[in-house]
């Protein structure tokens, strides 16, 4: 028999009415559920297409997967974790933390696993969001899009790849059942994921060919095991944990000053150059691994093992993009070739062309994707004109190259809960950010970006959208971000 909450289509059930519906159960969705319940929204549901929570930390299980900001900053303020075993926690620990947090705060029972949101459209007559899912429909007063930007793998369009006779997989869909010991492997991409998994698989494979379209700045990673005594101290003295958070936050914010004033990054860039020189003695290889842009223009990478792995006898670095695949041969744009039996794609994610944007529609049936036309835009990175009562978490304009996603998320959650509190106390049925307010914010961001390293660093990165506009980055400090989103501004909205 069908579950009563998920009747079959043949019964033509009425949509279930809820106050809030959250799409996604990663760190954003869990955080939104906790904070919405805290301000009195009890009638909410989280729809999750997978069979477990965790988002990117559920999907990315590749060898060596770990946090690239300090663990102390990688947790909710309402659920500080004194038990991290390393200064930069690994994926299994982070996933376990998310599971534990969801369970302890009563979120897990609210999640409808195996339930994919197919379409969400604003219904002006109901003044609610009509959400169609694979297991029943909903009418929701508030819609929270928490699918995240690091969710859907970006698969490159490489001629001949479909005909490759061996195994091909993306790092976010790691094939743990595929034996790499003794394999001949081509890795396509040299970004944040590859920097972690290449050193982890290099000792096992017979040959590893790294196809590197763009060299990356890689800094030393101050990672270490956290002693039991230190964890005990953090557990017993919450003030010590707050002090650690404050110190690490201040250190990253100091680095962030350089992102806004690129000339200050020369000293940090020199550290990267020395790190490369110490690890790579071969001048030809070192030249191939030396970036030609300012540090910070692309995502900042940390590793103590990446450069040494590339110097091993079984590794060949091809400083070129992949032009094609011909049978079992991978062909670089420079004409270099590699005969392999496995291709691993470390090619990133649909960051600014988020698939969720094609599933959310305004009252006229126009998708968020069509509204954006390739350049995502949202007021304070959170609300979009024409999409009333809807909130995007970790949305456009809020990304930084130096801070924790939790810092950004919690600033947004403060704004979200402030909006919901005001909405309910004022007796509103609809709130829609005014077009001129959203446009003014977007103009303010774009006016500030040209002087930052994100735009002025001389590289092409995922910060730039399909139209060449930086729709990703926040051009100021995270302190300013937190202050800006700390207070909900009702005058920015048309309401009814």
């Amino acid at each position: 028999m069908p579950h009563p909450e998920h009747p079959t289509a043949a019964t033509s059930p009425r949509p279930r009415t809820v106050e809030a519906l959250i799409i996604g159960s990663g760190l954003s969705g869990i955080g939104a559920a906790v904070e919405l319940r805290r301000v009195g929204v009890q009638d909410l549901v989280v729809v999750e297409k997978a069979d477990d929570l965790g988002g990117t930390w559920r999907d990315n299980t590749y060898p060596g997967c770990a946090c690239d900001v300090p663990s102390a900053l990688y947790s909710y303020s309402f659920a500080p974790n004194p038990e991290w075993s390393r200064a930069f926690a690994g994926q299994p620990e982070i996933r376990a933390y998310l599971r534990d947090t969801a369970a302890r705060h009563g979120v897990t029972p609210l999640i409808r696993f195996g339930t994919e949101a197919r379409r969400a459209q604003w219904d002006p007559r109901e003044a609610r969001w009509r959400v169609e899912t694979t297991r029943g429909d909903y009418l929701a007063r508030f819609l929270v899009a928490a699918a995240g930007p690091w969710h859907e793998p970006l698969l490159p369009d490489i001629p001949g790849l479909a005909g490759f006779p061996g195994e091909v997989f993306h790092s976010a869909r790691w094939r743990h059942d595929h034996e790499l010991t003794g394999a001949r492997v081509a890795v396509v991409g040299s970004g944040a994921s590859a920097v972690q998994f290449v050193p982890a698989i290099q000792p096992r494979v017979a040959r590893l060919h790294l196809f590197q379209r763009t060299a990356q700045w890689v800094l030393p990673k101050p990672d270490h095991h956290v002693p039991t005594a230190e964890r005990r101290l953090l557990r017993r003295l919450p003030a010590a944990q707050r002090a650690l958070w404050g110190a690490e936050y201040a250190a990253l914010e100091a680095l962030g000053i350089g992102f806004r004033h690129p000339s200050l990054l020369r000293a940090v860039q020199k550290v990267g150059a020395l790190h490369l020189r110490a690890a790579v003695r071969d001048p030809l290889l070192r030249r191939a691994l030396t970036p030609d842009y300012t540090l910070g223009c692309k995502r900042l990478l940390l590793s103590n093992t990446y450069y040494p792995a590339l110097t091993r006898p079984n590794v060949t670095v091809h400083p070129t993009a992949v032009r094609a695949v011909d049978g079992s041969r991978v062909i670089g744009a420079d004409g270099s070739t590699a005969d392999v039996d496995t291709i691993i794609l470390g090619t990133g994610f649909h960051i600014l062309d988020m698939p969720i944007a094609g599933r959310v529609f305004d009252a006229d049936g126009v998708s968020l994707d069509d509204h954006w036309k390739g350049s995502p835009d949202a007021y304070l990175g959170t609300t979009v004109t024409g999409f009333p009562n809807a909130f995007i978490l970790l949305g456009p304009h809020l990304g930084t190259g130096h801070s924790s996603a939790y810092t950004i998320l919690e600033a947004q959650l403060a704004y979200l809960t402030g909006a919901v509190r005001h909405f309910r106390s004022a007796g509103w049925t609809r709130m829609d950010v005014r077009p001129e307010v959203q446009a003014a914010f977007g103009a303010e961001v774009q006016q500030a970006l040209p002087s930052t390293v994100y735009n002025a660093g001389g590289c092409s990165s995922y910060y730039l959208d399909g139209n060449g506009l930086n729709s990703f980055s926040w051009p100021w400090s995270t302190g300013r971000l937190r202050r800006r989103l700390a207070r909900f501004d009702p005058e920015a909205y048309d309401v009814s």
Side-chain angles (χ1 to χ4, degrees):
M1 292 181 62
H3 191 283
E5 288 190 2
H6 306 298
T8 61
T11 63
S12 300
R14 287 181 58 81
R16 177 185 166 188
T17 300
V18 295
E19 188 165 9
L21 184 140
I22 300 167
I23 301 174
S25 66
L27 68 92
S28 300
I30 294 168
V34 171
E35 293 295 348
L36 284 172
R37 294 185 78 204
R38 184 178 60 80
V39 296
V41 179
Q42 300 301 324
D43 184 16
L44 66 85
V45 66
V46 182
V47 296
E48 170 56 61
K49 66 181 180 181
D51 60 2
D52 195 6
L53 58 80
T56 190
W57 297 106
R58 175 199 61 228
D59 296 343
N60 286 271
T61 61
Y62 58 79
C65 183
C67 190
D68 55 9
V69 298
S71 304
L73 300 178
Y74 212 77
S75 57
Y76 304 104
S77 62
F78 57 78
N81 182 20
E83 305 297 340
W84 299 120
S85 67
R86 300 198 64 83
F88 291 77
Q91 177 267 342
E93 271 194 284
I94 297 172
R95 187 178 184 184
Y97 166 76
L98 290 170
R99 283 173 170 163
D100 179 65
T101 301
R104 285 191 294 110
H105 289 268
V107 173
T108 308
L110 305 175
I111 304 175
R112 301 294 175 260
F113 294 111
T115 304
E116 183 174 358
R118 287 175 169 167
R119 181 185 181 94
Q121 183 167 355
W122 176 251
D123 186 333
R125 290 172 297 181
E126 296 276 357
R128 287 180 180 269
W129 283 93
R130 189 174 294 272
V131 184
E132 300 173 11
T133 82
T134 52
R135 302 183 71 181
D137 297 347
Y138 294 85
L139 281 174
R141 178 72 71 197
F142 302 107
L143 179 70
V144 181
W150 292 279
H151 170 60
E152 196 67 30
L154 180 63
L155 302 177
D157 183 15
I158 299 174
L161 181 62
F164 180 70
E167 293 290 337
V168 181
F169 56 89
H170 192 279
S171 60
R173 302 292 184 265
W174 196 270
R175 285 285 308 279
H176 292 279
D177 60 340
H178 177 60
E179 182 57 63
L180 288 175
T181 301
R184 298 172 303 158
V185 178
V187 174
V188 180
S190 58
S193 299
V195 162
Q196 294 185 341
F197 73 72
V198 163
I201 68 172
Q202 173 272 318
R204 298 162 49 196
V205 304
R207 293 292 306 171
L208 193 153
H209 295 269
L210 176 70
F211 284 85
Q212 169 199 273
R213 183 175 60 180
T214 307
Q216 305 279 349
W217 283 109
V218 182
L219 294 178
K221 189 173 187 176
D223 193 18
H224 60 85
H225 174 73
V226 180
T228 302
E230 182 178 334
R231 281 181 271 167
R232 186 183 303 119
L233 173 67
L234 295 174
R235 193 183 312 127
R236 293 179 178 178
L237 292 177
Q241 194 169 359
R242 289 193 296 270
L244 177 62
W245 184 95
E248 293 187 343
Y249 174 76
L252 292 188
E253 281 304 290
L255 177 62
I257 296 172
F259 282 66
R260 301 187 295 278
H261 305 280
S263 63
L264 299 178
L265 289 171
R266 290 179 188 141
V268 183
Q269 189 164 302
K270 190 171 292 184
V271 172
L274 291 172
H275 181 51
L276 173 59
R277 177 173 289 276
V280 180
R281 296 296 184 182
D282 180 351
L284 292 179
L285 178 58
R286 191 165 62 240
R287 187 176 305 123
L289 296 173
T290 301
D292 60 359
Y293 55 86
T294 304
L295 178 144
C297 183
K298 287 179 174 285
R299 182 173 174 179
L300 195 60
L301 307 180
L302 304 174
S303 178
N304 302 322
T305 56
Y306 180 65
Y307 285 149
L310 300 185
T311 67
R312 301 297 184 248
N314 66 334
V315 176
T316 301
V317 175
H318 302 260
T320 180
V322 173
R323 185 178 71 205
V325 175
D326 182 11
S328 62
R329 179 169 294 180
V330 180
I331 305 170
D334 63 355
S336 63
T337 63
D339 289 306
V340 298
D341 47 61
T342 303
I343 298 176
I344 303 176
L345 304 172
T347 46
F349 299 87
H350 287 274
I351 301 291
L352 292 171
D353 54 341
M354 296 177 284
I356 189 65
R359 300 188 180 200
V360 180
F361 297 81
D362 67 11
D364 297 322
V366 181
S367 73
L368 186 56
D369 213 15
D370 287 336
H371 272 265
W372 282 344
K373 294 182 173 61
S375 292
D377 186 31
Y379 176 56
L380 298 178
T382 307
T383 57
V384 180
T385 186
F387 294 80
N389 301 10
F391 303 85
I392 303 171
L393 298 181
L394 299 182
H397 309 314
L398 296 182
T400 73
H402 66 280
S403 193
S404 166
Y406 280 88
T407 301
I408 300 166
L409 172 64
E410 294 211 347
Q412 285 191 283
L413 294 181
Y415 193 82
L416 165 62
T417 54
V420 169
R421 278 198 306 264
H422 195 100
F423 186 105
R424 298 172 94 197
S425 64
W428 295 345
T429 59
R430 169 187 167 278
M431 52 170 280
D432 190 7
V433 66
R434 288 160 36 208
E436 66 272 18
V437 171
Q438 181 176 322
F441 172 73
E444 183 185 3
V445 169
Q446 294 305 324
Q447 187 175 5
L449 278 169
S451 62
T452 68
V453 73
Y454 310 121
N455 281 33
C459 74
S460 175
S461 73
Y462 67 69
Y463 303 150
L464 306 180
D465 60 36
N467 298 319
L469 194 69
N470 187 337
S471 299
F472 180 86
S473 301
W474 175 263
W476 305 289
S477 70
T478 60
R480 179 167 173 172
L481 186 152
R482 294 162 73 191
R483 291 190 298 272
R484 188 79 179 263
L485 276 75
R487 184 188 68 84
F488 173 66
D489 46 348
E491 65 281 357
Y493 291 81
D494 289 325
V495 302
S496 58

